[in-house]
Amino acid sequence: MLIIRSVLFNAAFYLSTALMLILAIFTYPLPRRYLIALAGVWAHVCSWLFTFIVGGSYEVRGEEMLPKGKSIILASKHMSAFETFALVPLVDDPLFILKRELLRYPLFGWALLKTDMIPIDRSAGLKALRGMLVEARRKMTADNRQLIIFPEGTRRRPDTEPAYKYGISHIYHALNVPCYPVALNTGLFWPKGSPIRRSGKIIIEILPPIEPGMEMKAFFKQLSEIIESHSNRLISEARAANDKLPLPPACDA
């Protein structure tokens, strides 16, 4: 049943994504907010498909702390594709930093262009960082957008060493807005590099903000410690409630 549910969900997920991208074409002549709203609907559909087909439930904690219509940073742990869409409906006007190569894909790249995200050329090094900071400051100042970012830069499996990038400190310093850490346990249910989807309770937790003005090194240390400690707590909570979830390597025997 695990394999059957996984196959059914993966098929439904990609079909719903393709449908969303086709429908998105009709929003291109309209203001950006219409495509953002469509993306929010798609995110809710994907979350529902996961709980309905794979099984289990999905909970967001601390959403009430997020201010409406204000510029903030959401700095999230990244374990799976789930949080890339699940965080979208939590804010009014999400802004992502993404690889420039993604813009080359038909439909998907067009939607990214329409939603006015920030593409970067990662091979450009410090030049790319400076350009990204200028663009992020401009977009957030002009439209009060909410930056969603994954400080590790890529997905990490549960129980592996974190790999936070110091660039998040430069972003925090340059934008001078509150930064909300986000902890989660999604990697237990949507494992990186695997087609298997496991049932259980997915939790995304918004934590109290780190206000602007902190020294960069102190901010980096505090942010990474907060995200890691709370994500580990959510992982332990999920394992305690579901004995079918994989254990840490040292305990897997």
Side-chain angles (χ1 to χ4, degrees):
M1 287 302 295
L2 176 64
I3 294 175
I4 292 172
R5 288 196 300 264
S6 298
V7 170
L8 289 174
F9 169 76
N10 290 333
F13 172 72
Y14 288 114
L15 284 172
S16 67
T17 301
L19 178 60
M20 187 276 292
L21 292 173
I22 292 170
L23 292 175
I25 296 173
F26 298 98
T27 71
Y28 291 171
L30 304 173
R32 182 181 69 240
R33 67 177 182 273
Y34 290 94
L35 183 48
I36 294 292
L38 177 62
V41 171
W42 168 71
H44 284 301
V45 168
C46 292
S47 301
W48 178 83
L49 286 172
F50 192 93
T51 56
F52 179 74
I53 298 175
V54 179
S57 59
Y58 165 50
E59 178 185 359
V60 178
R61 298 175 180 173
E63 182 180 358
E64 68 280 356
M65 289 190 292
L66 296 176
K68 297 296 182 182
K70 293 185 178 181
S71 292
I72 60 170
I73 300 168
L74 277 181
S76 176
K77 183 68 179 176
H78 196 16
M79 294 185 188
S80 76
F82 190 91
E83 55 268 16
T84 61
F85 60 77
L87 291 173
V88 169
L90 303 185
V91 296
D92 299 316
D93 195 357
L95 178 65
F96 285 88
I97 298 167
L98 46 90
K99 297 184 294 184
R100 186 178 299 275
E101 292 81 0
L102 294 176
L103 301 180
R104 300 174 184 170
Y105 293 100
L107 295 180
F108 184 64
W110 303 342
L112 293 176
L113 285 171
K114 177 60 184 178
T115 49
D116 199 22
M117 301 303 173
I118 303 176
I120 62 168
D121 178 4
R122 294 194 295 182
S123 65
L126 288 176
K127 182 180 178 181
L129 176 62
R130 287 193 293 267
M132 178 268 292
L133 292 176
V134 170
E135 278 296 294
R137 190 185 300 113
R138 181 182 66 81
K139 294 177 188 294
M140 294 178 71
T141 301
D143 299 319
N144 288 323
R145 300 184 71 176
Q146 298 81 43
L147 178 65
I148 299 174
I149 190 166
F150 305 107
E152 291 176 282
T154 189
R155 292 170 296 162
R156 304 285 295 177
R157 293 182 175 89
D159 310 309
T160 58
E161 284 295 316
Y164 290 85
K165 305 295 190 294
Y166 197 72
I168 184 61
S169 295
H170 292 280
I171 293 170
Y172 164 81
H173 177 73
L175 297 182
N176 196 37
V177 298
C179 177
Y180 289 76
V182 181
L184 42 79
N185 64 3
T186 55
L188 292 174
F189 309 100
W190 189 318
K192 176 184 177 182
S194 171
I196 296 299
R197 306 291 177 255
R198 297 188 177 93
S199 62
K201 187 175 184 178
I202 289 179
I203 300 173
I204 292 179
E205 185 170 352
I206 313 298
L207 299 161
I210 301 174
E211 297 296 338
M214 182 177 288
E215 190 269 331
M216 289 171 61
K217 289 183 178 179
F219 164 79
F220 183 77
K221 183 175 185 294
Q222 181 171 331
L223 178 71
S224 57
E225 288 178 351
I226 288 174
I227 294 175
E228 285 303 302
S229 62
H230 286 276
S231 292
N232 289 337
R233 171 177 53 81
L234 294 179
I235 289 170
S236 297
E237 179 181 329
R239 283 175 169 150
N242 187 346
D243 59 9
K244 295 182 180 179
L245 292 174
L247 296 172
C251 301
D252 194 5

